[in-house]
Amino acid sequence: MNDVSNIVILTGAGVSAESGIDTFRDAGGLWEKHRIEDVATPEAFARDPDLVLRFYDMRREAIQTKEPNDAHHALGKLEREWLGSLTIVTQNVDDLHERGGAQNVIHMHGGHLTAWCLACDGRPEWRGPLIDRPACPLCGSKGTLRPDVVWFGEMPYRMDEISAALNRADLFVSIGTSGAVYPAAGFVREARMLGIRTLELNLEPSEGSHYFDETRHGPATALVPAWVEEMLSAP
Ligand code: APR
């Protein structure tokens, strides 16, 4: 790996699983308990805003009780010590990468700890519930705050930045994602077309494993720190 200088990392729910945050598609995962079309689409929000707001209020409260794990801390260390460029793109809406020390994380599916005001388009930091329709702290409008999470059918955030990072990368690493949801699931193919080396670190083969040059299977808290040490000690 000593000819690598620019790295793009994509993470998914598997990197936060050992912090106690449910993944979506594993046994007992979130989508076994809630139908996506009931809680994670704009139509669901229009149809039953209270159900959707309560769902995200629960998730927002839960993640604030969780701690980053060794994988988050290892990626924070890599960001601090890597001499080339490192872009961490996450599908996760928790803040465990940041609390693990990473500072420049692209949250392509948004985040639980900001709200989105549909009146002023502002995105204030938000840690409490939204069910009581609090006023927007930026413009004062009431009842106009929604979760700042990208729902199915909506456009992920900062795709231009992600594409630019991929276009200058030498290595693409996917960590803890099933490869089930686009556009994130397509990044590995984009990387291959660009001639970029690809590595998957996942508990088990994902839907896209066959696209990767190398796959390593196991828990993120074992695989990620070992890989980071390998990268930082490469000549
Ligand atoms: N270590 C590493 N990988 C793990 C671990 C672990 N401890 N536990 C689970 N995994 C892997 C699973 O094998 C699976 O491949 O993490 C992946 C989790 O997949 P999903 O639950 O589908 O989560 P994710 O890939 O992040 O989902 C993508 O789908 O529902 C939408 O917006 C939501 O961002 C989410 C997107």
Side-chain angles (χ1 to χ4, degrees), residues 41-210:
T41 65
E43 295 76 18
F45 187 54
R47 184 172 58 244
D48 190 345
D50 280 16
L51 174 70
V52 173
L53 291 177
R54 281 202 179 89
F55 174 73
Y56 284 96
D57 285 355
M58 241 177 8
R59 301 266 298 151
R60 186 178 309 107
E61 187 182 5
I63 65 165
Q64 295 178 69
T65 66
K66 309 299 183 192
E67 292 302 323
N69 62 52
D70 290 348
H72 296 111
H73 288 296
L75 293 177
K77 179 180 180 188
L78 184 66
E79 189 189 70
R80 282 191 302 280
E81 300 182 11
W82 184 250
L83 298 178
S85 84
L86 173 66
T87 305
I88 300 174
V89 180
T90 188
Q91 301 171 87
N92 300 341
V93 287
D94 61 55
D95 64 339
L96 297 185
H97 279 304
E98 288 80 357
R99 286 162 58 202
Q103 297 186 351
N104 306 303
V105 180
I106 297 178
H107 282 265
M108 63 180 289
H109 289 169
H112 271 319
L113 298 181
T114 48
W116 176 14
C117 176
L118 299 178
C120 69
D121 203 30
R123 284 174 164 76
E125 185 175 342
W126 198 268
R127 291 179 175 272
L130 289 172
I131 190 65
D132 303 326
R133 305 314 196 273
C136 170
L138 303 177
C139 71
S141 307
K142 272 188 76 62
T144 56
L145 291 173
R146 62 159 269 188
D148 186 18
V149 171
V150 177
W151 286 326
F152 287 87
E154 295 184 326
M155 190 55 164
Y157 294 161
R158 303 174 63 181
M159 288 301 292
D160 293 349
E161 292 173 66
I162 296 168
S163 189
L166 277 172
N167 275 281
R168 63 171 182 267
D170 317 293
L171 177 63
F172 172 72
V173 186
S174 176
I175 303 174
T177 181
S178 61
V181 174
Y182 288 81
F187 291 169
V188 60
R189 268 182 272 171
E190 193 173 341
R192 290 182 67 83
M193 280 189 300
L194 291 165
I196 299 170
R197 197 177 311 159
T198 54
L199 168 65
E200 178 178 70
L201 306 178
N202 207 58
L203 188 64
E204 60 203 6
S206 72
E207 292 184 28
S209 281
H210 55 287

